[in-house]
């Protein structure tokens, strides 16, 4: 006696169970989630695992999409594909993304990459839940019509468009995650540092332009001025008598441009040379010369500081726009101090030896201090 084919009720039950699983996976990868305890012993590179599982998930999604688009809807085939996805790429991907290794251990990708991986995996899981929503919608429609799914009911145009749209979003998320894995830690930190530098220099350029727009004595209180002029005009312009603030601004613009030069040097001499493929064998000295830290720990610290500097420059700009010289000097001091800490943090290379950047950074700090 042949086994009765799986029906729409079974398909709906499995799909909704899978949706619940995805929600739990997404929650486990959220920034607020408590990370699992460090894993001991050698483990495969999590980026390799994530790339392989993502590639497989994209393939399974393509097959599932074809099953949904080609009539008749066959519950048994879709159930088999959903089971393959849950037991294979989804569980493997989430396990690799959730992994937290001992600092410096083989497979340690560092907090910067780990945070990015988890964010992109969560995005992919969210997009895959949209595919499941298509399955639920199509199955419920046929169930409502009293069909078992394989009785020749044609997919509607709206259903087809939903499937194609959801599949396209999954493909895009898969491609982005695969590229992240291919680029690796170095590719990610270089891209982020370049973005931080661009934000920094944009803020400096806006500050420079603001300083060049000096208020004339006759500008204030012009009859017929618009509300926009009142908000963005003379009230926050430098006056001709604000000579000390103007001098501070001019010096600040030059110094902040030097900070932008530091980013360039760091990208070339430290980020692009990061030993991501041999973390377990590499060691580096911490800045105080008495303790040691793994390259991944130093890199994570470096990236946090590189991100913080443009944020400080925003505060600097706010103080100048408020014509608050005291606050401008205070925030500038914090900004310069952080930049010098960055230079000192990676003064030596990843093998704890002098190189071109070591000498250059010393000269850079001296120039910053004497400007």
């Amino acid at each position: 006696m042949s086994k009765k084919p799986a029906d729409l009720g079974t398909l709906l039950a499995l799909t909704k169970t899978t949706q619940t699983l995805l929600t739990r996976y997404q929650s486990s990868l959220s920034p607020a989630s408590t990370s699992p305890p460090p894993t001991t012993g050698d483990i495969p590179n999590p980026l390799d695992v994530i790339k392989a599982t993502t590639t497989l998930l994209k393939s399974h999604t393509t097959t599932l999409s074809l099953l949904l688009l080609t009539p008749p809807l066959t519950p048994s085939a879709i159930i088999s594909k959903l089971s393959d996805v849950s037991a294979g790429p989804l569980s493997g991907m989430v396990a690799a993304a959730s992994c937290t290794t001992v600092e410096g251990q083989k497979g340690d990708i560092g907090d910067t990459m780990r945070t990015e991986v988890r964010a992109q995996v969560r995005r992919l899981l969210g997009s895959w839940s949209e595919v499941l929503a298509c399955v639920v919608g199509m199955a419920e429609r046929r169930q409502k019509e009293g069909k078992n799914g394989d009785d020749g009911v044609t997919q509607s145009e709206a259903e087809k468009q939903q499937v194609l749209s959801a599949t396209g979003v999954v493909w895009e998320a898969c491609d982005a995650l695969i590229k992240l894995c291919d680029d690796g830690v170095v590719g990610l930190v270089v891209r982020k540092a370049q973005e931080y530098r661009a934000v920094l220099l944009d803020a400096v350029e806006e500050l420079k332009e603001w300083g060049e727009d000096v208020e004339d004595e006759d500008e204030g209180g012009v009859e017929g001025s618009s509300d926009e002029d009142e908000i963005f005009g003379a009230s926050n312009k430098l006056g001709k008598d604000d000579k000390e603030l103007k001098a501070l601004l001019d010096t600040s613009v030059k110094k902040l441009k030097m900070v932008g030069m530091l980013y360039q040097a760091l990208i070339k001499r430290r980020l692009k040379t990061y030993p991501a493929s041999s973390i377990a064998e590499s060691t580096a000295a911490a800045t105080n010369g008495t303790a040691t830290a793994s390259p991944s720990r130093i890199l994570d610290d470096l990236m946090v500081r590189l991100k913080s500097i443009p944020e400080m420059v925003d505060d600097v700009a706010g103080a100048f726009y408020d014509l608050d010289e005291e606050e401008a000097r205070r925030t500038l001091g914090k900004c310069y101090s952080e930049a010098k800490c960055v230079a000192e943090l990676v003064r030596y290379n990843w093998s704890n030896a002098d190189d071109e950047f070591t000498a250059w950074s010393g000269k850079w700090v001296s120039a910053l201090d004497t400007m």
Side-chain angles (χ1 to χ4, degrees):
M1 182 176 179
S2 60
K3 184 178 179 181
K4 182 181 178 180
D7 60 12
L8 290 172
T10 305
L11 174 58
L12 280 169
L14 175 62
T15 305
K16 291 178 179 180
T17 298
T18 307
Q19 287 177 317
T20 301
L21 179 66
L22 283 181
T23 300
R24 188 163 70 247
Y25 280 159
Q26 286 181 287
S27 178
S28 71
L29 294 173
S30 69
S33 175
T34 303
S35 299
T39 304
T40 57
D42 288 347
I43 63 169
N45 185 333
L47 297 183
D48 291 342
V49 176
I50 291 171
K51 179 182 177 180
T53 52
T54 303
T55 302
L56 184 56
L57 179 61
K58 184 178 180 181
S59 176
H60 280 315
T61 303
T62 302
T63 304
L64 178 60
S65 177
L66 292 173
L67 290 173
L68 296 174
L69 292 170
T70 308
L73 191 73
T74 309
S76 58
I78 298 173
I79 287 172
S80 176
K81 184 55 60 178
L82 292 179
S83 298
D84 289 343
V85 169
S86 296
L90 280 184
S91 59
M93 179 190 304
V94 172
S98 301
C99 176
T100 304
T101 59
V102 174
E103 181 186 332
Q105 175 187 339
K106 185 177 181 181
D108 178 19
I109 58 176
D111 288 341
T112 303
M113 174 59 90
R114 189 176 298 112
T115 299
E116 186 71 19
V117 163
R118 290 179 179 178
Q120 291 206 24
V121 169
R122 289 184 74 240
R123 176 192 170 204
L124 177 52
L125 295 176
S127 66
W128 217 76
S129 68
E130 294 302 314
V131 175
L132 294 178
C134 292
V135 176
V136 170
M138 295 173 74
E140 287 181 340
R141 175 195 163 206
R142 283 151 183 76
Q143 193 177 57
K144 184 177 180 180
E145 294 173 354
K147 304 295 184 180
N148 190 42
D150 54 359
D151 296 333
V153 178
T154 303
Q155 284 82 339
S156 70
E157 188 61 31
E159 287 175 336
K160 290 180 180 179
Q161 290 304 317
Q162 287 175 340
V163 171
L164 289 172
S165 176
T167 302
V169 174
V170 170
W171 284 349
E172 182 183 350
C174 285
D175 290 343
L177 188 50
I178 290 170
K179 185 179 187 303
L180 176 66
C181 294
D182 283 340
D183 291 346
V185 175
V186 171
L188 174 66
V189 296
V190 166
R191 174 175 61 80
K192 282 187 172 293
Q194 289 170 338
E195 291 172 354
Y196 299 153
R197 178 176 180 271
V199 172
L200 166 67
L201 293 183
D202 283 347
V204 174
E205 187 60 28
E206 289 179 7
L207 197 56
K208 177 176 178 290
E209 291 175 0
W210 173 80
E212 292 171 349
D213 187 16
V214 179
E215 178 189 0
D216 290 330
E217 292 180 1
D218 297 332
E219 273 189 0
V222 176
E223 185 177 350
S225 61
S226 66
D227 291 339
E228 183 178 347
D229 289 336
E230 292 178 8
I231 296 173
F232 299 106
S235 61
N236 70 340
K237 285 184 179 180
L238 273 172
K240 288 186 175 181
D241 294 333
D242 293 325
K243 295 182 180 180
E244 289 189 8
L245 189 61
K246 182 64 167 66
L248 177 63
L249 174 64
D250 292 342
T251 300
S252 301
V253 167
K254 293 177 183 178
K255 283 191 170 188
L256 291 174
K257 285 183 177 180
M258 282 191 63
V259 176
M261 291 173 56
L262 174 64
Y263 277 68
Q264 277 186 302
L266 287 168
I267 290 169
K268 180 178 180 180
R269 301 295 181 181
R270 288 295 177 262
L271 299 184
K272 289 186 176 181
T273 62
Y274 178 71
S277 61
S278 57
I279 290 175
E281 292 78 22
S282 301
T283 58
T287 56
N288 59 14
T290 60
T292 60
S294 71
S296 62
R297 171 68 65 84
I298 295 173
L299 181 67
D300 288 334
D301 189 7
L302 175 64
M303 296 308 295
V304 169
R305 293 175 183 274
L306 291 180
K307 182 176 184 293
S308 71
I309 291 174
E311 295 170 350
M312 292 180 185
V313 175
D314 282 343
D315 293 336
V316 169
F320 274 111
Y321 298 157
D322 290 339
L323 306 181
D324 189 338
E325 182 179 347
E326 182 179 349
E327 179 64 13
R329 289 186 184 278
R330 188 186 71 81
T331 52
L332 281 166
K334 287 176 58 179
C335 186
Y336 300 149
S337 177
E338 187 72 354
K340 287 188 284 188
C341 284
V342 164
E344 183 63 24
L345 179 66
V346 287
R347 178 182 177 188
Y348 301 105
N349 67 20
W350 300 110
S351 298
N352 194 29
D354 288 3
D355 63 2
E356 291 181 23
F357 181 83
T358 308
W360 182 89
S361 63
K363 295 176 182 178
W364 179 88
V365 170
S366 296
L368 189 71
D369 285 340
T370 56
M371 183 173 288

